[in-house]
Amino acid sequence: MFFYLAKTPPAENAVTGAILSDFVIPLLGILVPTLIAIGLFRAERKNAREDAVAVRRLDAGAQVIVALAPMASIQADQPMQERLWELRARIAVYRSCIDADDLSGDWLALRHLEGMKLWGKSLDDIDAAGGVHRVLDEEIAQMLRPAHEWSATTVEMFSAWLSHNLPTSSLQSDGARIMETYGEPPRQDWQPATT
């Protein structure tokens, strides 16, 4: 533009200068702040969506912890199957609040599989020994120890991961250990069979 102004006669420079000062500069004065405001609005809206997703995920994660925590000290005469069902439901809700590439949901499903096996074995051992009312409290505590430790460890690992104090690689290695022992749990990406 400046090159054009230098080559044009003075009369045309005055017209071009008037167009520039009367039209282009005010237009840019309106357009530039408007474009900046639109960009800031979009970034803010994206951040708000991301924050809402993070809050939903954290709330769902807290519900998993609330379902798990009592299992670390529950007694053998208390109903366990309902608690495991409730935990499975809370894990499903948690998994619906996370991205597909977030491995924490798969890890929780694996931990749940392991927990069902450990609780089942503990309760079967108590039944095989004569039941809750025929076994000494110390023996019951010993038989429940693996299931109690599973619950406490799951709570600690998951809460540490949620607070960014445990790397995802720890969940991966723990999940690999569980899969090696018990196999894979049902997948989240289940698709109905086509007929």
Side-chain angles (χ1 to χ4, degrees), residues 1-2 4-6 8-27:
M1 180 111 192
F2 293 112
Y4 173 75
L5 288 175
T8 57
E12 288 182 28
N13 274 344
V15 172
T16 306
I19 290 174
L20 232 119
S21 64
D22 291 343
F23 180 70
V24 175
I25 292 176
L27 180 66

Side-chain angles (χ1 to χ4, degrees), residues 94-163:
Y94 174 78
R95 291 177 92 181
S96 72
C97 294
I98 60 175
D99 293 330
D101 60 344
D102 187 337
L103 298 177
S104 64
D106 291 340
W107 174 78
L108 280 171
L110 287 167
R111 290 296 291 188
H112 183 262
L113 174 68
E114 181 180 45
M116 288 191 313
K117 301 287 186 182
L118 289 172
W119 278 105
K121 183 179 180 334
S122 294
L123 296 175
D124 286 348
D125 289 350
I126 292 170
D127 287 343
V132 174
H133 302 292
R134 297 200 175 204
V135 180
L136 297 174
D137 287 345
E138 296 82 28
E139 292 174 340
I140 290 175
Q142 189 63 32
M143 290 177 199
L144 288 176
R145 178 167 284 131
H148 284 162
E149 288 175 355
W150 166 84
S151 302
T153 301
T154 305
V155 166
E156 290 304 316
M157 286 182 75
F158 188 53
S159 60
W161 183 83
L162 281 174
S163 62

Side-chain angles (χ1 to χ4, degrees), residues 70-92:
M71 292 183 201
S73 61
I74 196 169
Q75 298 302 312
D77 60 345
Q78 295 175 314
M80 196 64 229
Q81 188 62 44
E82 291 84 11
R83 290 185 184 270
L84 287 168
W85 289 339
E86 178 186 357
L87 175 61
R88 182 68 190 126
R90 292 182 189 270
I91 290 171

Side-chain angles (χ1 to χ4, degrees), residues 9-61:
E12 288 182 28
N13 274 344
V15 172
T16 306
I19 290 174
L20 232 119
S21 64
D22 291 343
F23 180 70
V24 175
I25 292 176
L27 180 66
L28 287 175
I30 294 170
L31 272 177
V32 170
T34 302
L35 292 174
I36 290 171
I38 290 170
L40 290 173
F41 174 74
R42 286 181 179 164
E44 189 174 308
R45 191 171 58 189
K46 180 183 174 200
N47 289 340
R49 272 194 307 260
E50 289 171 356
D51 289 347
V53 168
V55 166
R56 261 195 335 265
R57 182 177 140 255
L58 192 57
D59 286 347

